Amino acid sequence: MQQSSTASRAESDERTCKIDRIAVEYDLGDIAEELGELWTREEERYSLRRLATHFNRRLLRAAMERNGMDVLEGEAENTYRLLTDDDVSVGTRTQARNRLRKQGVDIEAVESAFVSYQTVNRHLKGCLDAERPAEPDEDGVEKATQRIAALRNRTVVVTENTLSQLRSADEITLGDADVFVDITVTCADCGTHTTARELIADGGCDCE
Ligand SMILES: [Zn+2]
Ligand SMILES: [Zn+2]
């Protein structure tokens, strides 16, 4: 059970997901519902990753403002990038963290409050019961997912057979082995790195 340090948390027993908890803790208004809206609306739907980024930037901004920082336009976005982007050097990141710390921001608490796209996914499905309306090309997506799954299974079967032939021929030693195939995709533009299945389910990468 989560330890309850504020009264508002105690009254919301069924809403104990990280998103809801952090939204209350950092006074982020109705962002928990807003994520559902951004995910299901007709136009320009956000991907799960983009929703996580959206949430985390708001959280960072709130933490900065709470400590009396005058947060300029785009500053929270840039600071978030410095804290999280793979392309930022360790030195630059340390500088950004130190600057926040000097302003009184509990950077460790903020960073551990950041949410992943998996957390956003659980919140949307578990708390909001949100469902994305079917897109026109849903069939194409479904077929593509099946095609990749079939290819993946075939790779597993071929590998298993090949290994067991080698074992039968005493070419290799192998115990009770499991073959696991993971097809991953990396986008060189935005750095998204995920399995092909998740990428499709998530509507693609973070590129705008
Ligand atoms: Zn939730
Ligand atoms: Zn991308």
Side-chain angles (χ1 to χ4, degrees), residues 4 7 10 26 49 54 58 67 81 89 96-97 105 111 128 132 145 152-153 166 169-170 176 179 189 193:
S4 197
Y26 286 83
R49 276 181 195 77
H54 178 71
R58 280 273 289 276
N67 285 283
R81 191 182 64 79
S89 73
R97 297 177 90 236
V105 176
E111 284 177 338
L128 300 183
R132 249 181 175 178
T145 307
R152 191 171 159 273
N153 290 341
L166 289 172
D170 277 332
D176 187 11
V179 175
D189 291 328
H193 177 73

Side-chain angles (χ1 to χ4, degrees), residues 187 189-190 205-207:
C187 173
D189 291 328
C190 66
C205 68
D206 278 342
C207 287

Side-chain angles (χ1 to χ4, degrees), residues 9 22-23 29 35 41 51 83 104 140 169 172 179 198 207:
R9 248 185 264 167
I22 302 295
L35 294 179
R41 66 182 181 182
L51 288 173
L83 293 176
I172 61 166
V179 175
E198 277 179 2
C207 287

Side-chain angles (χ1 to χ4, degrees), residues 5-90:
S5 63
T6 64
S8 50
R9 248 185 264 167
E11 77 196 16
S12 52
D13 265 345
E14 75 271 28
R15 306 193 58 179
T16 50
C17 102
K18 187 175 178 185
I19 300 262
D20 302 290
R21 203 154 37 79
I22 302 295
V24 171
E25 206 169 300
Y26 286 83
D27 212 2
L28 302 179
D30 58 358
I31 187 142
E33 286 75 32
E34 189 188 322
L35 294 179
E37 153 70 13
L38 290 171
W39 195 62
T40 54
R41 66 182 181 182
E42 294 283 320
E43 304 274 301
E44 274 193 73
R45 285 178 203 163
Y46 278 31
S47 71
L48 293 175
R49 276 181 195 77
R50 197 164 162 210
L51 288 173
T53 303
H54 178 71
F55 182 89
N56 292 339
R57 284 172 175 170
R58 280 273 289 276
L59 157 62
L60 180 60
R61 169 181 286 274
M64 289 163 85
E65 284 174 348
R66 174 183 285 192
N67 285 283
M69 289 178 75
D70 194 9
V71 187
L72 304 172
E73 168 98 39
E75 194 182 351
E77 287 76 7
N78 187 50
T79 307
Y80 182 70
R81 191 182 64 79
L82 295 177
L83 293 176
T84 58
D85 201 299
D86 285 342
D87 293 338
V88 173
S89 73
V90 176

